[in-house]
Amino acid sequence: MNKPSALVFSAHAADFVWRCGGAIALHQTRGYEVTIICLSYGERGESAKLWKKGKTALAEVKSIRKSEAEKAASELGAHDIIFMDLGDYPLEANKKSKYKIVEILREVQPGFILSHSKYDPYNTDHMYTTELVLETRMIAQAWGHNPGEKILGAPQLYLFEPHQTEQMGWVPNVFLDVTEVWDKKRKAIECMEGQVHLWNYYTNVAENRANHFRRNSGGQAGGREAKYAEGFQAVFPRCVDEL
Amino acid sequence: MNKPSALVFSAHAADFVWRCGGAIALHQTRGYEVTIICLSYGERGESAKLWKKGKTALAEVKSIRKSEAEKAASELGAHDIIFMDLGDYPLEANKKSKYKIVEILREVQPGFILSHSKYDPYNTDHMYTTELVLETRMIAQAWGHNPGEKILGAPQLYLFEPHQTEQMGWVPNVFLDVTEVWDKKRKAIECMEGQVHLWNYYTNVAENRANHFRRNSGGQAGGREAKYAEGFQAVFPRCVDEL
Amino acid sequence: MNKPSALVFSAHAADFVWRCGGAIALHQTRGYEVTIICLSYGERGESAKLWKKGKTALAEVKSIRKSEAEKAASELGAHDIIFMDLGDYPLEANKKSKYKIVEILREVQPGFILSHSKYDPYNTDHMYTTELVLETRMIAQAWGHNPGEKILGAPQLYLFEPHQTEQMGWVPNVFLDVTEVWDKKRKAIECMEGQVHLWNYYTNVAENRANHFRRNSGGQAGGREAKYAEGFQAVFPRCVDEL
Amino acid sequence: MNKPSALVFSAHAADFVWRCGGAIALHQTRGYEVTIICLSYGERGESAKLWKKGKTALAEVKSIRKSEAEKAASELGAHDIIFMDLGDYPLEANKKSKYKIVEILREVQPGFILSHSKYDPYNTDHMYTTELVLETRMIAQAWGHNPGEKILGAPQLYLFEPHQTEQMGWVPNVFLDVTEVWDKKRKAIECMEGQVHLWNYYTNVAENRANHFRRNSGGQAGGREAKYAEGFQAVFPRCVDEL
Amino acid sequence: MNKPSALVFSAHAADFVWRCGGAIALHQTRGYEVTIICLSYGERGESAKLWKKGKTALAEVKSIRKSEAEKAASELGAHDIIFMDLGDYPLEANKKSKYKIVEILREVQPGFILSHSKYDPYNTDHMYTTELVLETRMIAQAWGHNPGEKILGAPQLYLFEPHQTEQMGWVPNVFLDVTEVWDKKRKAIECMEGQVHLWNYYTNVAENRANHFRRNSGGQAGGREAKYAEGFQAVFPRCVDEL
Amino acid sequence: MNKPSALVFSAHAADFVWRCGGAIALHQTRGYEVTIICLSYGERGESAKLWKKGKTALAEVKSIRKSEAEKAASELGAHDIIFMDLGDYPLEANKKSKYKIVEILREVQPGFILSHSKYDPYNTDHMYTTELVLETRMIAQAWGHNPGEKILGAPQLYLFEPHQTEQMGWVPNVFLDVTEVWDKKRKAIECMEGQVHLWNYYTNVAENRANHFRRNSGGQAGGREAKYAEGFQAVFPRCVDEL
């Protein structure tokens, strides 16, 4: 029987680390195969430290960023990491790229998908990524697209935590306890040598989301003792047999 | 060991039947003890058929409505039904009534709570009920209210389906398959002799929510074959160990 | 046969003039009987000019405001104006006052109701008024409230234009051409001697709403030639036989 | 003199049937000429039943879907049905296609337009369609686009009922009584042989919208006795001479 | 000449410390006189640690909480701290208490006001506090309330950071650099011995808000080097002479 | 040392005049260099008067509109006006045009940017313009786009006043007193000979926004005596050292 699987969309090379590194590591631990798609390397917009050194070439920056992302994915134990190299600032997908993503969606048959917030006035690549996810998810569900292939079901789409959450209209409705894999996430974070200023930031985030986990799982009556957590916004309704 | 439990707030006598009769019956089947609180009998505003007969007295209307509600609760197999008799159109709770609700919350220690939508311009009793729930849930959590009693944890609050959902700003994020207890819900519905015009309405709702259940559990790839479902809007984030 | 009728809720004495004076005058012209309820005289909060003179007594301010409102209602040709004297800053209604409003709703049997915006952080009396309207509209519809009386139907509730519309979350979905009764509205406005600074303001509003009327009735293809208009936000859906 | 007219945008071949078949039939009955534009045949995404048979070719699926749509349009008595064949999953319009739509808008000179909801995370073709409508409506209004042609006025845009309304942020503000043409709509529905699972669904919807019609046209005081209705969300403000 | 002043509303004794301790200390440093109003001591709902010890009396808990709050206010250098003792869980203000608050507003004549978020489903005391602020701000502006007194102007209302910001619909539109007074805020935080679990939480918040300050003051081009910051949501528009 | 600067995006030639002419003139007066980018001449959609004369050629309309815009910019004392000639109804930017805008953003290094509202169902060019601004602002901030150039900081984006504000979801959070430059704005307005129907409209707007300025800067206690004002919606949080 097939293992359960999940698919993570990362607009730029490092996004998956800060925003859902814990979810990746945790689900691998639970027997999932988690595949990461990096739509771009974040070579232009999120590699300031490299460019500031001067004389850097685009190919070189991409290569360094790719290497960092691979190392981080490895620390998290991810099943696979795929680089689409669609460019960044701005990120753009033509029809061929969209069909490639559809192909991956059908191959992976994810139980759930992770992507960026729907809105982000600071970074239009982020919101474009989630538009792409919704469009390709729809195509992958169509019986008439490459008839004969196994179509995609209706996987949940979780939006992971953006930077400056309130400005993005992002509201978490799920908290995931990632305490048991925190060390892996922290190691993955430390692979991102170009963005040291974010290491402490996202450690703070994880600690504070754990506080929210404790409150929502019991509050003053004694919630579950999470130390590190991640928040997600589920886009589609859940289907359950028990509330 | 204690059984799991749930608490349902019904502004008027019949609300619990249309809006979450399936959830009540289903959770009873699964070993929960479900308690229903009817804040009023719906004696003034939702008993038109009785009043139209003329010469009816308030006490008589209350008594008939109470009897219908008890029969419906019995069809659903509910653990208990409590009548607060707070009046309707408008429903009003003084401090004593609030503390009584707090007492019930602490006694029942519900795993989750069910109540009305947050907004309802047609029926201000409905939104008032959910304001009451949020306020009394908070009081029941306070260590300093009747110190020594067992305080309430952080039970999820699910808002059940209002009439004319879109006008209420209500958006379901959970669908519950109630196929296996549909017969019980239909029987409970038929206890409401004063509101026959709603029998077919809420049967249609249940059928259509089942369509949503199928779509969100698989869509064209083949979702779960629910025939009847109910929708709910969870107010607080969920705390999970797996997405 | 009865004439069609309408009911206008004005938190303070002058509100009905600025916000829907045109609608009042126009519907009177069309054969409606329009009744105005002033919940307060606006004696504390909107009578600055009188208080600044010093030595004024509350009863005197009320009397002057009442007189201005009566004159304005007369200029508009209103069928009736009722003063509830509920106080202002803050305006408050006890149960007896609510039942009095219910009584008026049932007597007038309005085809539509006019009231304030749902939200107003500058003036909590305004939002309280619309809460009152929703609550009393509900009670007036109940067969079990004063059984035997003719109950209220389901009249539309239009929210008239607040000051600083965007801060109130008010969005007009109906524009009414009041050109033919503009002179009456302007005369009513000029009855408000204590608020001269608003005369020009609401004349500008009426001119600009007429521009919106022209745009939405035809735009560059040639909309209807309104010169003065008023905007309203309908709360409930309309029921029609033709789109 | 010209007859009044209306224009319906249907992303996929069958959308117009479920979502506004009643409005089409009713307005034809009232003397309107209603033209339907099917942007695609829904050949890939909404023809699962055909594809599941295997060995089907795209041209064949399109042809079957076209035939079904024509039959349905005929049952509704529609004035005309135009197929743009823009593809589906995803639907895409280039500049030439947009100008073709502008041409149709100017020829038809619709009194009102019908289209999809603004938001739809399940089906990006739907929201893209309404973006197209807003863009082409604007172009058709421009004096400088193909100068000399009769420009478009400011027709109302009604958004018809999407599937899973609450997830789309769709809120109906108009209910249309379609009781007198229900038989026609049901016959049109039954032309959609590939989507039998939706026949009952949209019959339930029509019955329940009729309940909303009754409530909003009178409620407990006795609303209009509609048996089948459709809901719409008007995008632009209305311009009226009487509230 | 009078010093500039500010007024802080704290529903419970400790709220002002976590949420705007930096703003208090900073404005004192800049020559403001900052007055704090604690509406309650937070004796029931936010003193779990004390109650858990058992046998505690209400008066004792209040006294301990009051003492902590006074120490914290002193660490921040606050001009004054006023205790209203209105009770908590639930907090309630009668007319007399409202007029007392109006009196304070007029005496302090604050240049700006600080209070809780508008919405809080976890803690209804918080949203009630801001309702109180809006109502009393309005009364304090009325020439006819205690005529002769100096009325209140139109001070900005800033909503300080709630717990679980996204659940409250709170969106900061101002970030304040509190680096230079951070030591004072941390000392004030450490006065709250009953809530040690929040010390680290709000230190994390301050560090992360400083990241937002840097981003919004320059981003990758080099923003201002804030180390600790606080976020606020201004309710009313600003009036400026330069953008 | 460099002068402070600002950059104004105008979808069509005249937009900058009605919507922020006062801000342009005022900041020039205060020593800013304000550059205006007209993305199109508004040749098709907003030149009805010229087209109605008949026989007009596109080039001629563009030329007339350009001339009007230059005159208006001159009346306002603008530092520079740049015409992109991207077409209108619809306005479209390819990659080359986007990079040109990025180049301008980096050259001007604006302290703040002005653009259209985020939403506009009447005019999709307007919302497209602000999408362009967000995308190019992001690219201009990237160290890896044309490495070696001076990157853009994090300038505030102010959305100026759209037509029919409430339909656009636009909420002003800043009012700017433009009384001292009103004569310049009015002269610039009068350069727009093709849109005489808007002269009075935007004069009314300026007068009424001044009323809002007075209210928010002091209200009944005596606000600042602005006679003409403009409103803006800041998109990003402000960073301050004092509230």
Side-chain angles (χ1 to χ4, degrees), chain B residues 8-234:
Chain B
V8 179
F9 285 80
S10 187
H12 312 101
D15 284 319
F16 72 90
V17 182
W18 324 109
R19 314 197 182 295
C20 62
I24 295 169
L26 188 70
H27 285 84
Q28 283 289 149
T29 300
R30 301 223 187 293
Y32 277 72
E33 290 183 344
V34 184
T35 296
I36 301 158
I37 305 183
C38 291
L39 299 182
S40 81
Y41 298 104
E43 61 269 19
R44 294 184 196 279
E46 305 187 352
S47 307
K49 203 170 166 184
L50 295 171
W51 292 108
K52 286 179 187 174
K53 292 180 185 167
K55 286 191 183 171
T56 311
L58 195 61
E60 195 185 347
V61 173
K62 284 185 182 182
S63 168
I64 294 170
R65 295 292 286 174
K66 187 184 179 201
S67 169
E68 284 179 1
E70 283 170 337
K71 269 185 250 166
S74 170
E75 293 290 358
L76 299 171
H79 174 67
D80 197 6
I81 181 163
I82 298 168
F83 297 93
M84 298 283 291
D85 196 13
L86 300 179
D88 76 329
Y89 286 55
L91 192 161
E92 284 173 326
N94 58 19
K95 202 147 198 178
K96 197 178 153 195
S97 304
K98 290 181 186 177
Y99 284 167
K100 176 66 190 164
I101 295 172
V102 170
E103 200 182 307
I104 296 169
L105 278 162
R106 288 187 166 183
E107 274 172 24
V108 172
Q109 291 283 336
F112 60 87
I113 299 170
L114 293 167
S115 185
H116 292 263
S117 61
K118 283 186 207 165
Y119 182 64
D120 190 334
Y122 293 85
N123 194 314
T124 58
D125 286 358
H126 289 170
M127 45 186 175
Y128 178 68
T129 296
T130 291
E131 286 170 25
L132 261 183
V133 170
L134 290 174
E135 186 179 356
T136 53
R137 181 183 182 270
M138 173 187 75
I139 301 171
Q141 292 174 329
W143 281 84
H145 175 82
N146 291 347
E149 289 184 8
K150 185 178 178 193
I151 68 162
L152 183 67
Q156 179 60 276
L157 169 59
Y158 292 105
L159 310 179
F160 45 56
E161 177 152 351
H163 209 83
Q164 301 198 61
T165 58
E166 303 94 354
Q167 310 301 326
M168 314 308 173
W170 177 84
V171 181
N173 50 23
V174 193
F175 290 117
L176 180 72
D177 183 353
V178 300
T179 309
E180 70 183 84
V181 295
W182 174 251
D183 288 349
K184 293 182 183 178
K185 177 161 180 179
R186 179 70 198 195
K187 275 184 197 146
I189 283 176
E190 293 179 8
C191 295
M192 296 298 138
E193 295 180 10
Q195 291 164 296
V196 177
H197 62 293
L198 292 177
W199 295 10
N200 186 52
Y201 183 91
Y202 281 103
T203 301
N204 284 350
V205 166
E207 288 176 5
N208 284 12
R209 291 299 174 197
N211 171 288
H212 301 172
F213 190 104
R214 292 192 299 272
R215 295 225 162 185
N216 286 291
S217 65
Q220 298 192 81
R224 241 271 295 283
E225 260 314 303
K227 288 213 173 101
Y228 299 94
E230 288 177 344
F232 300 93
Q233 178 176 346

Side-chain angles (χ1 to χ4, degrees), chain F residues 82-117:
Chain F
I82 298 169
F83 296 93
M84 298 282 293
D85 196 12
L86 300 179
D88 76 328
Y89 285 55
L91 191 161
E92 285 175 324
N94 58 18
K95 202 145 198 180
K96 198 177 151 195
S97 304
K98 290 181 186 176
Y99 285 167
K100 177 65 190 164
I101 295 172
V102 170
E103 201 182 307
I104 295 168
L105 277 162
R106 287 187 167 183
E107 276 172 23
V108 172
Q109 292 283 334
F112 62 87
I113 299 171
L114 293 168
S115 184
H116 292 264
S117 62

Side-chain angles (χ1 to χ4, degrees), chain A residues 27 30 175 224 238 240-241, chain B residues 175 224 238 240-241 243:
Chain A
H27 285 84
R30 308 253 142 119
F175 290 117
R224 243 269 298 284
R238 290 189 301 137
V240 302
D241 288 307
Chain B
F175 290 117
R224 241 271 295 283
R238 289 189 302 137
V240 301
D241 288 307
L243 290 175

Side-chain angles (χ1 to χ4, degrees), chain E residues 3-24:
Chain E
K3 288 189 177 182
S5 60
L7 190 59
V8 179
F9 285 80
S10 187
H12 312 102
D15 283 320
F16 72 89
V17 181
W18 323 109
R19 314 197 182 294
C20 62
I24 295 169

